[in-house]
Amino acid sequence: MVVVGSGIAGLTAALRAERNGAEVTLVTKGDLDETATRSAQGGIAGVLTASDTTAAHLADTLTAGAGLADPAAARILVEEGPARIRDLIDAGVPFDRDDDGNLRRGLEGAHSHPRILHAGGDATGAAIERTLLDVLERSTVTVLEHAFLLDVVLVDGHAVGVEVLVSGARRTITADAVVLATGGAGRLYPHTTNPAVATGDGIAAALRAGAAVADLEFVQFHPTVLAVGTPFLISEAVRGEGAVLRDSEGRRFALDAHPDGELAPRDIVARAIAEQDGPVVLDATGLGAPDTAAFLAARFPTIDAVLRSRGLDWSREPVPVTPAAHYMMGGVSTDLAGRTTVPRLYAVGETARTGVHGANRLASNSLLEGAVFGARVGDAVIADAGTAWAGPAAGTPLAAVEPSAPDAPPFTRAALQQLMWNHAGLVRDESGLARATAVLAAWSHCGTDRPVDVAAREDANLLRVAVEVVAAARRRRGSVGAHVRRDETPSVPEMQEATAC
Ligand code: SIN
């Protein structure tokens, strides 16, 4: 089996399959720890005390999903989650504990109970990544770093390996199963919390292999990303501890948008920020009084160090924040064991669309998803060997769009990101999406999709995924979850025009 990607989903799938007796190769595009997992601050959600219930976690997950989450997938997430968190504890993840040795549990947006575990305050993902990499080092898994995924190799429609680019040379790794765990495509947008490697490589490779994708219109924008310098996530956990958002007049405005204020679902908070006329700040100056500086440094050491390195003392001054692309709820369509529509091809984590998040993901459910569904994939790969493939139903491939934007600007990644931010960002409408469709078609037809080096191949992957995001956003004419259309009730001529496309 070959696993592509080394975040929590890929590592869990690889280690579980190895434990099950599989011969596993893990390839990754950058350094092993260059993943979104490593920078996850918020934590991992799970019910580990009698005062909370999986029914409540399920209800919160389904509510965040805005009616579009698959209840069966969400049930698996919350019911298998505690066991997977215990696996992480057994593996050595140093989750934060109180003076009595009990796990500390934090509250985050749209959770009805404090059930978020953290490690190192705000360095949960880094602690999980480090621990799993330690386990990997002691395992028999063969690791290949700096190997860029070119394509899934198919024989008679079955995945039989991957072709990768290593130091400029093509190399084929044959395997009885391929697992795509390459994360999402946050780099579609100029403002994102995602690492540089998040260029949708797995989703694009799956599309080229003929796999179905779904729900790509649902892109989650995190509300609080530092608005000065390189984008940097300021965890929702900061608002969970009581930090508030203020407009340029110092007024707290989040309660106007939702009774839960700063802890409302992310899409609501993100739009409330985007709708403000002036800059918005996150005010943590009241936390942990009387010694706010000490509290922030102890509870959020990573954020505190980064802000201070940029000359910002957030214990005294609120810091400017902006929404930024954070997470893709959609991806490669899979069943509940990661099987895609292509036999022997699996997808997991942010690359996959299991339906677990519906139209919007609940905070701290993504590390949990990687752990739960990574383990399921690691089991399924073995169980499926030699059996007939039973993945999800195949989708309908997108029809090609003829180029119709003679005024399209020259293709650059920055131009693509700006196009997506303007027309497929926090709020969308038909005319913007139609413009995006036309420009993307022009770029696709002008050869941008026949790349030579890695950066150009990443661009081609982003372009391929952008086409799908925009097409999905055009198809969904009503607002739901993270997908918001300002033209919810389209006129008849607009509908006809869209159908003709
Ligand atoms: C955060 O720390 O706010 C992000 C956590 C998440 O995306 O679930």
Side-chain angles (χ1 to χ4, degrees), residues 184-192 194 198-200 216 219 325 328 413-421 424 440 458-459 461-470:
R187 292 280 156 169
L188 279 174
Y189 296 91
H191 309 289
T192 180
N194 287 196
T199 53
L216 282 168
V219 179
M328 298 182 82
R413 189 179 296 189
L416 170 66
Q417 291 171 333
Q418 203 53 53
L419 184 83
M420 293 299 285
W421 187 259
L440 293 172
E458 288 180 336
D459 287 346
N461 288 341
L462 286 168
L463 183 54
R464 185 75 182 81
V465 177
V467 168
E468 298 284 337
V469 170
V470 169

Side-chain angles (χ1 to χ4, degrees), residues 39-43 108 220 222 224 233-239 266 326-327 361-367:
S39 49
Q41 298 173 358
E108 285 176 10
Q220 184 175 83
H222 195 288
T224 51
L233 178 71
I234 302 184
S235 175
E236 185 147 329
V238 176
R239 281 172 284 130
R266 283 185 184 165
H326 183 57
Y327 188 86
R361 175 175 66 77
L362 187 65
S364 290
N365 266 357
S366 58
L367 290 174

Side-chain angles (χ1 to χ4, degrees), residues 175-426:
D176 58 352
V178 174
V179 179
L180 298 174
T182 56
R187 292 280 156 169
L188 279 174
Y189 296 91
H191 309 289
T192 180
T193 62
N194 287 196
V197 290
T199 53
D201 304 332
I203 300 172
L207 282 162
R208 289 192 295 270
V213 294
D215 287 354
L216 282 168
E217 66 274 40
F218 299 125
V219 179
Q220 184 175 83
F221 290 82
H222 195 288
T224 51
V225 173
L226 189 63
V228 288
T230 310
F232 174 73
L233 178 71
I234 302 184
S235 175
E236 185 147 329
V238 176
R239 281 172 284 130
E241 292 286 354
V244 297
L245 293 162
R246 299 192 189 282
D247 66 16
S248 51
E249 260 124 60
R251 200 178 67 86
R252 220 181 134 187
F253 58 88
L255 285 163
D256 303 344
H258 192 280
D260 292 340
E262 285 80 1
L263 292 181
R266 283 185 184 165
D267 60 304
I268 294 173
V269 182
R271 278 195 303 280
I273 294 174
E275 279 160 12
Q276 300 305 306
D277 287 333
V280 167
V281 291
L282 181 68
D283 185 351
T285 59
L287 303 194
D291 195 346
T292 301
F295 172 80
L296 292 176
R299 172 67 184 86
F300 302 109
T302 310
I303 301 172
D304 190 69
V306 169
L307 293 181
R308 286 184 185 281
S309 75
R310 296 191 188 183
L312 300 167
D313 181 352
W314 64 323
S315 69
R316 291 163 172 274
E317 288 283 336
V319 290
V321 289
T322 178
H326 183 57
Y327 188 86
M328 298 182 82
M329 274 66 74
V332 183
S333 299
T334 71
D335 69 4
L336 301 178
R339 300 180 192 96
T340 72
T341 54
V342 173
R344 301 304 288 167
L345 179 64
Y346 299 77
V348 68
E350 194 175 349
T351 309
R353 182 273 181 200
T354 59
V356 74
H357 306 302
N360 212 353
R361 175 175 66 77
L362 187 65
S364 290
N365 266 357
S366 58
L367 290 174
L368 188 66
E369 177 192 20
V372 167
F373 288 94
R376 289 189 141 240
V377 168
D379 290 345
V381 164
I382 309 295
D384 290 349
T387 64
W389 191 250
T396 314
L398 274 187
V401 177
E402 284 307 312
S404 58
D407 59 340
F411 178 85
T412 59
R413 189 179 296 189
L416 170 66
Q417 291 171 333
Q418 203 53 53
L419 184 83
M420 293 299 285
W421 187 259
N422 292 346
H423 300 308
L426 277 147

